[in-house]
Amino acid sequence: MEGARTTRVPVKMGKWAPEMKSGTVFFWFTVPALLLYAVFFVFPVGMGVYYSLTNWNGFSPSYRFVGLDNYVALLADNRFLHAVKFTLAYTALVVALKLSVALSLAILLSGHIKLRGFFRSVYFFPAVLSMITVGLIFNQIFFSVVPSIGEALGVEWLSRNILGNKNTAIFGIVLTNVWQGFAVPMVIFIAGLSAVPNELREAATIDGATAFRRFVSVTLPFLIPVLNVNLVIAIKGGLTVFDYIVAMTDGGPAQATESIGFLIYKHGMSEMKFGYGTAEAIYIFVMIALISFVQIKLLNRKEAGQQ
């Protein structure tokens, strides 16, 4: 009809259509993740702390509360103290070598070279293998392949299995870890190098800066965030080493390559000292947390000072 008017009828929002408050909505989205985190992390950690205060053997339904006796005994346990020294030495070697190799290859593979994508894939291949598999392969390499080459060349030190000597076994495990473990930090470094502006590099080149000076003054400041990530991952992996030791030395020779993680397994599963082993786990948890906290603080301070 001509002249008809259209009227809008206001719709009232009932109680089933509450106002969408962003804070409340976001909170409910986080509830499933928080529940999973509590069930699979917070609760196990709490139970671990509790069992570390007992003498439970891992199987018996009865056990006794011993307080801090396990923690005090660990400080006087020569086997545990040796495991701490080995773990720290192993971590220092792995972090230094792994990140050096990863950064060198990242710089090389970020340049204009032929078959760059192919080489990136090849270098990343070891990362998809399991640690146990790689450990078993290198165990055979050090046991038979390397000594055979040493005998053929007439090199005495190369003709011996380095895993059979308590003074050199650590280097065999370190080399195995570096061979497999450099791939992931290499990819992270490549991502960080891609964020470096070409204009700054070109300006430094025009100013006559050497390649080393360009790296230190231009590239390195942009790599501090990814270096921070790689350091945390590498340090955590070094302090919790377990698979390589199980596959290559089983803690030998003469308990020379027992790490803290391996000792936790031995005490908890083989020697029926579950409470004692859990106390060791709490120690390594605190150690990783403190080292990571200090390292992140130092690198963040350095990054803030360069901005």
Side-chain angles (χ1 to χ4, degrees), residues 218-277:
V218 178
T219 305
L220 188 58
F222 286 91
L223 289 181
I224 289 180
V226 296
L227 179 62
N228 200 349
V229 173
N230 278 335
L231 273 175
V232 171
I233 295 175
I235 291 173
K236 180 260 182 186
L239 293 176
T240 58
V241 59
F242 174 77
D243 304 69
Y244 296 120
I245 295 175
V246 171
M248 300 178 70
T249 64
D250 198 36
Q255 300 178 346
T257 59
E258 285 186 336
S259 66
I260 301 178
F262 182 81
L263 199 57
I264 292 170
Y265 164 76
K266 277 291 186 180
H267 282 153
M269 300 301 174
S270 300
E271 302 176 13
M272 305 304 176
K273 299 178 181 178
F274 191 88
Y276 196 74

Side-chain angles (χ1 to χ4, degrees), residues 50-128:
Y50 171 75
Y51 284 125
S52 71
L53 304 175
T54 69
N55 66 345
W56 189 39
N57 62 7
F59 296 95
S60 175
S62 61
Y63 52 84
R64 184 167 51 88
F65 185 81
V66 297
L68 298 176
D69 288 356
N70 289 332
Y71 294 94
V72 175
L74 282 173
L75 297 177
D77 188 340
N78 290 329
R79 188 180 178 187
F80 173 74
L81 295 178
H82 177 270
V84 172
K85 293 178 182 178
F86 170 83
T87 303
L88 293 176
Y90 172 86
T91 301
L93 290 172
V94 165
V95 170
L97 291 175
K98 185 188 293 186
L99 296 189
S100 298
V101 173
L103 181 57
S104 301
L105 288 175
I107 295 174
L108 179 64
L109 296 177
S110 295
H112 300 287
I113 61 173
K114 294 182 179 180
L115 302 176
R116 183 174 62 177
F118 170 77
F119 285 116
R120 286 183 178 182
S121 301
V122 169
Y123 284 128
F124 190 78
F125 174 74
V128 304

Side-chain angles (χ1 to χ4, degrees), residues 175-186:
L175 289 175
T176 304
N177 190 334
V178 172
W179 181 84
Q180 184 186 26
F182 74 86
V184 173
M186 179 191 71

